[in-house]
Amino acid sequence: MKNTAIEVKFIAIGVSAGGFEVLNTLVTQLPADFSLPIAIVQHRSADSSGYLAEHLDISAKIKVKDVFDKEPISPGIVYLAPPDYHLLIERGFFFSLSRDDKVNFSRPSIDVLFESAADIYRQACLAIILTGKNHDGAMGLAKIVATGGTAIVQNPGSAQASEMPIAAIKKVPTASVYTLSQITAYLITLNKNQKK
Amino acid sequence: MELTEIAEIEIDTLLDAIRRRYDYDFSNYARSSLKRRINGLLIKEKLDMPYQLIPRILYDEEVFNRFLSELSVTVTELYREPEFFLNLVESIFPVLNTYPYFKIWHAGCATGEEAYSLAVLLKEAGLLSRAKIYATDYNNKSIDIAKQGIYSAENIKAGNKGYLKAGGKHSFSDYYTDHHGAIKFDDELKNSITFAYHNLVKDGVFGEMNLIICRNVFIYFDTELQNYVLNLFNESAISKGFLCLGNKETIRFSILKDKFDTLSEGNSIYRKKD
Ligand SMILES: C[S@@+](CC[C@H](N)C(=O)[O-])C[C@H]1O[C@@H](n2cnc3c(N)ncnc32)[C@H](O)[C@@H]1O
């Protein structure tokens, strides 16, 4: 694992088809003292309710919530892009939402989150692409790497849907390719190193 | 200096040029989405860098108009988030009913769907004749569409569903007539709403409002501009007047949060304190 990981200040995750299960596994394993902010774009239908955040919040040891517009980014919270809104990062470290056109047929779009996170956090940004059936996130991941950030992609062979990881790896061949349990272990180590 | 920092200077310069040339101030729009939209326009104009837009916009008003349309995304629909409208009918209408006469302001009404949606419900509640409704936007093209009151048949299909979820008691089709394959809202509804230009960034208070509805506009503003506009709403609302924002917009992070009580967190409905 890269030792630059210690500089990470923000984690962005993009996930689509099969997301509920992987998020459930990943988020519930994060320790209560997890001290980095995590923002997640999970593709979901425009009229889905706040169920995903509520469910994860109950099962996880750390707080999970849907984002409100202009919400300040706090450490140790998992933020979900609300259905039908793009999630962006603003200068001054808070979120903003937008209902602009869909990107890659998606709103929220992973590319939108990743591109704005790259702009603000630059080398301090870690971005992760998990299971999914489309190509959203690949462009954004390329931008994360171009601005000096770290890219991780779920091993397509171990992902429920492999298209999205494959597209991401194709666009960013330098990305680290890990299984879900390796990704979880990586985040936990990252958190430990954070405190030293 | 890093390239991205230089790009910020370019954008600042572009916004400054627009402000001085056309008197539209975007400097306090949420920067990240603003940048995405500027990039969208660059692609359409076949340009690479924001600075290349400066001469085009300065000398060609049409390019500026395209910039304005790009910036004032007008996605809206009839009964967008019907639970919000139901909440209004159930909790706010009874209060409006205690006034002999009241004023409603839709700020950032886009192409008018939201204002017509509410007017229909007011009519059903027997309140429309007592309401003075203003619906404003800073995009004149949208205002022109709103004034027509003509919407496509697809719009209406979704609208009908929303109308029922919002507690509509009759048939939505009672309120419009066919119009060359589209539909046209009845004159009574149309005439009950005054559509007008108003720019929240620079135009002031224009009446004492019982209910202000400004949904899905704050997301385009940074916190400073949100505070400024919230102050405008505070000054425009009567004592105990209502303020409604979009479902994911909140006054919780604002310095003016103590001026209002929260009536519904989920539907972002607030009430001005005494
Ligand atoms: C997404 S639409 C919201 C329409 C409607 N309220 C709804 O929720 O469906 C946002 C509107 O805000 C308008 N807007 C943006 N900045 C504005 C300003 N400074 N003054 C007035 N209107 C503005 C745009 O022109 C656009 O029509």
Side-chain angles (χ1 to χ4, degrees):
Chain A
M1 277 173 203
K2 278 200 285 178
N3 49 4
T4 51
I6 206 144
E7 293 159 12
V8 169
K9 293 207 167 65
F10 185 80
I11 300 165
I13 298 177
V15 56
S16 188
F20 185 80
E21 272 168 54
V22 286
L23 288 180
N24 211 15
T25 310
L26 180 80
V27 173
T28 51
Q29 286 186 59
L30 298 174
D33 69 348
F34 197 82
S35 65
L36 287 159
I38 301 181
I40 300 176
V41 165
Q42 153 82 76
H43 291 156
R44 44 185 167 159
S45 73
D47 54 3
S48 61
S49 63
Y51 171 75
L52 182 63
E54 282 162 31
H55 168 81
L56 289 174
D57 189 49
I58 291 168
S59 3
K61 295 182 202 80
I62 61 175
K63 190 167 177 52
V64 183
K65 65 191 302 288
D66 275 342
V67 174
F68 273 92
D69 180 53
K70 305 292 145 30
E71 182 157 354
I73 298 172
S74 303
I77 295 183
V78 176
Y79 297 97
L80 292 178
D84 212 20
Y85 289 89
H86 290 304
L87 178 63
L88 301 100
I89 315 294
E90 295 288 340
R91 293 186 294 197
F93 308 113
F94 48 85
F95 291 107
S96 68
L97 300 176
S98 118
R99 269 212 171 137
D100 286 5
D101 290 342
K102 292 184 177 179
V103 174
N104 306 318
F105 311 101
S106 313
R107 189 172 51 224
S109 147
I110 304 167
D111 275 345
V112 172
L113 171 66
F114 281 13
E115 284 167 18
S116 74
D119 247 358
I120 304 295
Y121 285 98
R122 314 189 57 74
Q123 64 277 10
C125 190
L126 163 65
I128 305 172
I129 292 283
L130 300 173
T131 167
K133 274 193 185 139
N134 50 67
H135 294 185
D136 193 19
M139 294 278 281
L141 198 68
K143 181 154 181 197
I144 296 273
V145 171
T147 49
T150 311
I152 295 178
V153 179
Q154 185 179 11
N155 188 326
S158 75
Q160 190 176 323
S162 58
E163 287 91 335
M164 206 161 85
I166 289 173
I169 295 167
K170 207 169 150 202
K171 190 94 198 157
V172 186
T174 56
S176 308
V177 179
Y178 296 152
T179 63
L180 189 62
S181 48
Q182 286 173 321
I183 293 172
T184 313
Y186 184 95
L187 293 183
I188 293 169
T189 311
L190 191 66
N191 184 53
K192 280 191 190 134
N193 292 343
Q194 203 67 22
K195 276 182 257 165
K196 277 181 203 150
Chain B
M1 196 180 263
E2 288 200 52
L3 266 174
T4 46
E5 288 172 74
I6 302 176
E8 291 295 329
I9 302 177
E10 267 185 61
I11 290 175
D12 286 337
T13 313
L14 170 66
L15 298 184
D16 192 45
I18 291 170
R19 187 178 52 78
R20 292 174 59 189
R21 170 74 171 82
Y22 297 101
D23 202 17
Y24 274 86
D25 187 353
F26 294 107
S27 52
N28 286 302
Y29 275 54
R31 191 65 167 221
S32 293
S33 24
L34 185 72
K35 266 161 83 177
R36 283 201 77 85
R37 281 190 238 129
I38 292 174
N39 281 335
L41 187 69
L42 286 176
I43 291 167
K44 281 186 196 159
E45 303 288 323
K46 301 193 168 54
L47 301 172
D48 298 316
M49 305 281 282
Y51 78 87
Q52 295 168 314
L53 266 176
I54 297 174
R56 304 260 182 138
I57 282 187
L58 282 179
Y59 294 106
D60 186 347
E61 191 157 354
E62 260 319 297
V63 180
F64 171 69
N65 286 334
R66 292 203 288 273
F67 178 85
L68 194 60
S69 327
E70 190 73 28
L71 277 167
S72 40
V73 238
T74 45
V75 259
T76 183
E77 55 199 66
L78 292 157
Y79 298 101
R80 184 176 190 171
E81 284 135 6
E83 340 64 76
F84 161 74
F85 287 92
L86 184 62
N87 203 161
L88 276 191
V89 171
E90 289 178 345
S91 341
I92 315 285
F93 279 18
V95 181
L96 294 179
N97 195 21
T98 63
Y99 295 97
Y101 165 85
F102 56 87
K103 286 182 181 170
I104 298 175
W105 178 16
H106 292 270
C109 67
T111 39
E113 284 87 335
E114 178 188 271
Y116 284 103
S117 300
L118 188 61
V120 165
L121 297 173
L122 284 165
K123 177 153 169 61
E124 286 193 3
L127 291 170
L128 190 62
S129 55
R130 284 192 264 151
K132 178 91 195 112
I133 306 171
Y134 303 93
T136 64
D137 202 282
Y138 79 156
N139 185 332
N140 277 319
K141 267 198 204 149
S142 299
I143 289 291
D144 286 341
I145 295 171
K147 278 181 182 163
Q148 306 276 319
I150 298 170
Y151 298 95
S152 73
E154 301 97 78
N155 259 321
I156 289 301
K157 231 178 126 197
N160 187 42
K161 260 199 196 159
Y163 163 81
L164 294 172
K165 281 196 202 161
K169 289 191 202 71
H170 301 278
S171 165
F172 196 40
S173 59
D174 292 351
Y175 302 99
Y176 56 79
T177 48
D178 285 336
H179 187 86
H180 314 299
I183 68 97
K184 192 172 196 279
F185 278 110
D186 293 346
D187 281 345
E188 186 192 358
L189 293 170
K190 220 173 73 164
N191 296 336
S192 71
I193 310 167
T194 306
F195 289 101
Y197 173 92
H198 181 282
N199 185 343
L200 292 164
V201 176
K202 61 177 201 251
D203 298 324
V205 174
F206 63 90
E208 299 202 305
M209 302 296 160
N210 299 68
L211 168 61
I212 299 170
I213 300 173
C214 182
R215 308 192 76 224
N216 306 303
V217 182
F218 269 34
I219 47 176
Y220 301 108
F221 298 167
D222 71 7
T223 38
E224 196 181 319
L225 184 54
Q226 287 190 355
N227 285 333
Y228 174 84
V229 175
L230 215 43
N231 189 50
L232 176 72
F233 290 158
N234 189 40
E235 283 172 9
S236 304
I238 60 160
S239 166
K240 294 273 180 192
F242 297 97
L243 169 67
C244 307
L245 301 178
N247 279 16
K248 289 291 160 196
E249 296 166 331
T250 175
I251 65 167
R252 209 159 63 229
F253 311 122
S254 166
I255 48 171
L256 276 96
K257 63 172 185 293
D258 296 330
K259 303 266 185 210
F260 299 86
D261 289 316
T262 302
L263 296 192
S264 162
E265 186 90 57
N267 290 316
S268 298
I269 302 178
Y270 306 98
R271 189 168 200 185
K272 185 176 164 175
K273 293 181 180 168
D274 279 324

